Amino acid sequence: MGLAAALDSLPNDRATQHAVREVLLALSRHPDQAVTARRVADLSGESEGLSRRVLDAFARCRVVTRDEEPDTFRYSPDRLTALDVDRFVRRVDARTGMLQDNVERFRERFGR
């Protein structure tokens, strides 16, 4: 259980990884608050369907808890979860930075 299990249950493509990053950052800005999937989608800039899939995976793996109201989630991280989230966000940011650097070098070398 935890973030690693939630990530394993989601597709391992760049778009999903980016969506997970954005959802985690949105949740991190609102700890201990009850938020709906629609609110998380608005905060993260991702689609509601994708946000809901990510939140459902998080709920199954106990990264977030389901609130009493339907379709409402609460992110109350312990230290280990917060550390895992921070590591994941930094890893995605580093990967994105490397890809952008490679594209820039390619464009410099071969033109657009």
Side-chain angles (χ1 to χ4, degrees), residues 8-20:
D8 287 343
S9 70
L10 293 167
N12 192 18
D13 57 42
R14 247 189 338 193
T16 304
Q17 298 292 314
H18 178 74
V20 168

Side-chain angles (χ1 to χ4, degrees), residues 34-93:
V35 291
T36 63
R38 181 160 186 70
R39 175 84 172 123
V40 171
D42 291 342
L43 291 170
S44 67
E46 298 297 327
S47 71
E48 187 176 350
L50 185 53
S51 295
R52 186 180 314 280
R53 276 195 304 260
V54 170
L55 288 168
D56 286 340
F58 285 174
R60 280 192 307 275
C61 297
R62 298 188 182 138
V63 176
V64 299
T65 55
R66 289 188 188 274
D67 221 15
E68 295 86 30
E69 297 178 31
D71 195 38
T72 305
F73 302 88
R74 188 177 301 268
Y75 176 67
S76 302
D78 57 14
R79 289 184 181 188
L80 184 59
T81 301
L83 181 63
D84 286 344
V85 166
D86 187 50
R87 268 193 224 144
F88 174 78
V89 168
R90 280 190 276 139
R91 186 175 72 230
V92 170
D93 288 345

